[in-house]
Amino acid sequence: MKILVVDDHALVREGLRQVLKGLDEQVEVLEAPHCARAFELAALHPDLDLVLLDYHLPDMNGLEALGIFGKKHPELPIVMLSGSVNPQIMRQVLARGAAGFVTKAGMSDDLLSVLQRVLAGEVYVPAEVLAAPGTPALEGSHGRAPPQLTPRQEEVLYLLLDGRSNKDISEILQLADETTKSHVSGILRAFRVQTRVQAVLAASHYGYTKSAPSI
C-alpha cells in the first residue's frame, strides 16, 4: 500500500506516517510539503492508493489541488484534511471530487476508519454535511432531473458504487477494456462531472446505492 501525505508541517506529516501504520505495518508513505511536489510524486508513482491532502497549503488551496489531481489522476482517491469544521467547505471539497473530508481535531482511530472505507471504494461524507438542511450532494445537481442511463451504464454505475476498478468491471461484465472506459465516460457526461468520485456522489444524490440488481 502506498499513500501520499501532503502537508506543509513536517510534524504533521511525521504524525500521520505513524498513524498510517494502523492500516498496514508495511505501508509506504510519501511526503510532500506543497502541491507542486505532490503532483511530481503522483506522476512518479502511478501505483498510489490514496492521497491525504491538507486544505491550506503554501502554493494553492485544496480546491485548486483537487481540480488538478482530478484531471491528471481521475481514479486516485483524495481525502482532504483541515483544521476547519466548516460544512460549506466540506460540501465544496466533496463536490470537487474528494473521497472524504477529515478534520485534524479528530481521533486517529476515526481517521483510520475513514481511510479504510475510502480504500474500499466508498465516499465518506461527514456528519456535519449530512446534518445540514437542504444541502445537495453535488453543487449544481439540486433540482435537476435524474440523468438517463442505458441499462449497461447502470450496471457499470453500480459497480463504481461498489468501488470496482475498470479492470474489475471489464471482467465482471465481460467487456473489452475500451468498452468499459467508454461506459464510464458516458456516466461522467450524464452526471455532468469530471471524476469517478463525483459520479458516485451525484449518483447517491439521485438515489443510487450499493444495493445493485443481480448482474
Side-chain angles (χ1 to χ4, degrees):
M1 183 184 299
K2 188 179 291 187
I3 297 176
L4 171 61
V5 174
V6 190
D7 194 290
D8 57 328
H9 295 95
L11 285 175
V12 172
R13 297 198 303 272
E14 180 58 30
L16 287 171
R17 175 184 291 274
Q18 297 303 317
V19 170
L20 292 173
K21 290 183 179 179
L23 290 174
D24 184 337
E25 188 65 30
Q26 302 302 317
V27 63
E28 181 179 352
V29 179
L30 307 176
E31 299 181 21
H34 45 67
C35 290
R37 181 55 177 161
F39 300 143
E40 291 176 358
L41 287 173
L44 290 171
H45 298 270
D47 56 341
L48 275 176
D49 295 292
L50 180 71
V51 175
L52 283 176
L53 177 68
D54 187 26
Y55 184 81
H56 297 286
L57 289 163
D59 47 349
M60 67 179 66
N61 67 34
L63 290 178
E64 294 175 291
L66 276 172
I68 294 174
F69 270 119
K71 290 179 181 178
K72 294 184 176 180
H73 312 280
E75 295 187 24
L76 180 60
I78 314 288
V79 173
M80 189 69 70
L81 295 172
S82 176
S84 171
V85 186
N86 185 323
Q88 182 177 358
I89 291 178
M90 292 179 181
R91 289 193 295 270
Q92 291 174 338
V93 164
L94 293 169
R96 290 288 183 93
F101 188 107
V102 180
T103 65
K104 292 182 178 180
M107 303 295 289
S108 297
D109 286 347
D110 294 333
L111 172 61
L112 290 176
S113 176
V114 170
L115 298 185
Q116 286 169 341
R117 292 171 61 177
V118 170
L119 287 167
E122 296 184 33
V123 173
Y124 172 73
V125 181
E128 292 86 353
V129 174
L130 296 175
T135 300
L138 189 69
E139 288 178 350
S141 64
H142 189 60
R144 257 195 350 237
Q148 298 298 309
L149 302 178
T150 67
R152 181 61 90 185
Q153 285 176 334
E154 285 203 335
E155 290 180 330
V156 171
L157 176 59
Y158 280 119
L159 291 171
L160 290 177
L161 287 165
D162 198 36
R164 301 286 187 165
S165 66
N166 280 11
K167 182 179 179 181
D168 291 338
I169 294 171
S170 296
E171 292 176 355
I172 292 170
L173 298 180
Q174 297 184 336
L175 300 174
D177 290 343
E178 289 302 318
T179 302
T180 297
K181 289 181 182 178
S182 177
H183 286 311
V184 171
S185 296
I187 291 169
L188 298 186
R189 287 194 299 271
F191 283 108
R192 303 181 190 178
V193 297
Q194 294 182 323
T195 71
R196 293 158 66 100
V197 172
Q198 291 173 330
V200 168
L201 278 171
S204 299
H205 175 65
Y206 286 116
Y208 287 94
T209 69
K210 281 192 172 186
S211 302
S214 299
I215 294 176

PDB file of all heavy atoms in Angstrom, residues 10-22:
ATOM      1  N   ALA A  10       6.093  19.571   8.887  1.00  0.00           N
ATOM      2  CA  ALA A  10       6.826  18.306   8.992  1.00  0.00           C
ATOM      3  C   ALA A  10       6.326  17.452  10.148  1.00  0.00           C
ATOM      4  O   ALA A  10       6.244  16.222  10.030  1.00  0.00           O
ATOM      5  CB  ALA A  10       8.323  18.583   9.155  1.00  0.00           C
ATOM      6  N   LEU A  11       5.969  18.086  11.272  1.00  0.00           N
ATOM      7  CA  LEU A  11       5.485  17.324  12.425  1.00  0.00           C
ATOM      8  C   LEU A  11       4.155  16.635  12.118  1.00  0.00           C
ATOM      9  O   LEU A  11       3.917  15.509  12.570  1.00  0.00           O
ATOM     10  CB  LEU A  11       5.329  18.244  13.641  1.00  0.00           C
ATOM     11  CG  LEU A  11       6.626  18.660  14.338  1.00  0.00           C
ATOM     12  CD1 LEU A  11       6.333  19.657  15.453  1.00  0.00           C
ATOM     13  CD2 LEU A  11       7.352  17.437  14.902  1.00  0.00           C
ATOM     14  N   VAL A  12       3.292  17.302  11.349  1.00  0.00           N
ATOM     15  CA  VAL A  12       2.017  16.694  10.962  1.00  0.00           C
ATOM     16  C   VAL A  12       2.268  15.499  10.054  1.00  0.00           C
ATOM     17  O   VAL A  12       1.668  14.431  10.221  1.00  0.00           O
ATOM     18  CB  VAL A  12       1.107  17.729  10.260  1.00  0.00           C
ATOM     19  CG1 VAL A  12      -0.140  17.040   9.695  1.00  0.00           C
ATOM     20  CG2 VAL A  12       0.697  18.827  11.232  1.00  0.00           C
ATOM     21  N   ARG A  13       3.173  15.654   9.109  1.00  0.00           N
ATOM     22  CA  ARG A  13       3.477  14.546   8.198  1.00  0.00           C
ATOM     23  C   ARG A  13       4.046  13.362   8.964  1.00  0.00           C
ATOM     24  O   ARG A  13       3.679  12.210   8.708  1.00  0.00           O
ATOM     25  CB  ARG A  13       4.471  15.004   7.114  1.00  0.00           C
ATOM     26  CG  ARG A  13       3.941  16.106   6.205  1.00  0.00           C
ATOM     27  CD  ARG A  13       4.763  16.212   4.922  1.00  0.00           C
ATOM     28  NE  ARG A  13       6.181  16.436   5.167  1.00  0.00           N
ATOM     29  CZ  ARG A  13       6.742  17.638   5.317  1.00  0.00           C
ATOM     30  NH1 ARG A  13       5.990  18.725   5.270  1.00  0.00           N
ATOM     31  NH2 ARG A  13       8.045  17.770   5.500  1.00  0.00           N
ATOM     32  N   GLU A  14       4.930  13.623   9.907  1.00  0.00           N
ATOM     33  CA  GLU A  14       5.517  12.544  10.693  1.00  0.00           C
ATOM     34  C   GLU A  14       4.455  11.861  11.553  1.00  0.00           C
ATOM     35  O   GLU A  14       4.441  10.630  11.689  1.00  0.00           O
ATOM     36  CB  GLU A  14       6.637  13.084  11.579  1.00  0.00           C
ATOM     37  CG  GLU A  14       7.308  12.026  12.447  1.00  0.00           C
ATOM     38  CD  GLU A  14       7.910  10.886  11.654  1.00  0.00           C
ATOM     39  OE1 GLU A  14       8.336  11.112  10.492  1.00  0.00           O
ATOM     40  OE2 GLU A  14       7.960   9.752  12.178  1.00  0.00           O
ATOM     41  N   GLY A  15       3.553  12.656  12.128  1.00  0.00           N
ATOM     42  CA  GLY A  15       2.473  12.070  12.929  1.00  0.00           C
ATOM     43  C   GLY A  15       1.572  11.186  12.092  1.00  0.00           C
ATOM     44  O   GLY A  15       1.185  10.081  12.511  1.00  0.00           O
ATOM     45  N   LEU A  16       1.241  11.637  10.889  1.00  0.00           N
ATOM     46  CA  LEU A  16       0.384  10.844  10.003  1.00  0.00           C
ATOM     47  C   LEU A  16       1.106   9.573   9.553  1.00  0.00           C
ATOM     48  O   LEU A  16       0.479   8.522   9.398  1.00  0.00           O
ATOM     49  CB  LEU A  16      -0.033  11.677   8.793  1.00  0.00           C
ATOM     50  CG  LEU A  16      -1.072  12.777   9.076  1.00  0.00           C
ATOM     51  CD1 LEU A  16      -1.238  13.683   7.867  1.00  0.00           C
ATOM     52  CD2 LEU A  16      -2.416  12.144   9.459  1.00  0.00           C
ATOM     53  N   ARG A  17       2.395   9.664   9.347  1.00  0.00           N
ATOM     54  CA  ARG A  17       3.167   8.480   8.968  1.00  0.00           C
ATOM     55  C   ARG A  17       3.007   7.380  10.022  1.00  0.00           C
ATOM     56  O   ARG A  17       2.808   6.206   9.693  1.00  0.00           O
ATOM     57  CB  ARG A  17       4.642   8.840   8.793  1.00  0.00           C
ATOM     58  CG  ARG A  17       5.554   7.651   8.525  1.00  0.00           C
ATOM     59  CD  ARG A  17       7.007   8.083   8.473  1.00  0.00           C
ATOM     60  NE  ARG A  17       7.267   8.883   7.291  1.00  0.00           N
ATOM     61  CZ  ARG A  17       7.570   8.379   6.100  1.00  0.00           C
ATOM     62  NH1 ARG A  17       7.623   7.058   5.940  1.00  0.00           N
ATOM     63  NH2 ARG A  17       7.806   9.157   5.070  1.00  0.00           N
ATOM     64  N   GLN A  18       3.060   7.762  11.286  1.00  0.00           N
ATOM     65  CA  GLN A  18       2.910   6.787  12.361  1.00  0.00           C
ATOM     66  C   GLN A  18       1.486   6.245  12.429  1.00  0.00           C
ATOM     67  O   GLN A  18       1.259   5.050  12.611  1.00  0.00           O
ATOM     68  CB  GLN A  18       3.294   7.429  13.707  1.00  0.00           C
ATOM     69  CG  GLN A  18       4.741   7.873  13.798  1.00  0.00           C
ATOM     70  CD  GLN A  18       5.720   6.733  13.549  1.00  0.00           C
ATOM     71  OE1 GLN A  18       5.538   5.620  14.042  1.00  0.00           O
ATOM     72  NE2 GLN A  18       6.760   7.010  12.769  1.00  0.00           N
ATOM     73  N   VAL A  19       0.509   7.139  12.266  1.00  0.00           N
ATOM     74  CA  VAL A  19      -0.900   6.718  12.315  1.00  0.00           C
ATOM     75  C   VAL A  19      -1.217   5.744  11.191  1.00  0.00           C
ATOM     76  O   VAL A  19      -1.935   4.750  11.386  1.00  0.00           O
ATOM     77  CB  VAL A  19      -1.832   7.955  12.232  1.00  0.00           C
ATOM     78  CG1 VAL A  19      -3.288   7.523  12.041  1.00  0.00           C
ATOM     79  CG2 VAL A  19      -1.696   8.807  13.488  1.00  0.00           C
ATOM     80  N   LEU A  20      -0.671   6.004  10.006  1.00  0.00           N
ATOM     81  CA  LEU A  20      -0.991   5.186   8.835  1.00  0.00           C
ATOM     82  C   LEU A  20      -0.482   3.759   8.950  1.00  0.00           C
ATOM     83  O   LEU A  20      -0.937   2.879   8.220  1.00  0.00           O
ATOM     84  CB  LEU A  20      -0.441   5.846   7.568  1.00  0.00           C
ATOM     85  CG  LEU A  20      -1.128   7.164   7.175  1.00  0.00           C
ATOM     86  CD1 LEU A  20      -0.411   7.829   6.012  1.00  0.00           C
ATOM     87  CD2 LEU A  20      -2.591   6.918   6.831  1.00  0.00           C
ATOM     88  N   LYS A  21       0.431   3.513   9.865  1.00  0.00           N
ATOM     89  CA  LYS A  21       0.861   2.135  10.098  1.00  0.00           C
ATOM     90  C   LYS A  21      -0.287   1.288  10.641  1.00  0.00           C
ATOM     91  O   LYS A  21      -0.223   0.053  10.601  1.00  0.00           O
ATOM     92  CB  LYS A  21       2.040   2.108  11.065  1.00  0.00           C
ATOM     93  CG  LYS A  21       3.339   2.653  10.482  1.00  0.00           C
ATOM     94  CD  LYS A  21       4.496   2.542  11.470  1.00  0.00           C
ATOM     95  CE  LYS A  21       5.793   3.063  10.868  1.00  0.00           C
ATOM     96  NZ  LYS A  21       6.918   2.980  11.829  1.00  0.00           N
ATOM     97  N   GLY A  22      -1.324   1.963  11.152  1.00  0.00           N
ATOM     98  CA  GLY A  22      -2.504   1.241  11.617  1.00  0.00           C
ATOM     99  C   GLY A  22      -3.297   0.622  10.480  1.00  0.00           C
ATOM    100  O   GLY A  22      -4.105  -0.286  10.700  1.00  0.00           O
TER     101      GLY A  22
END
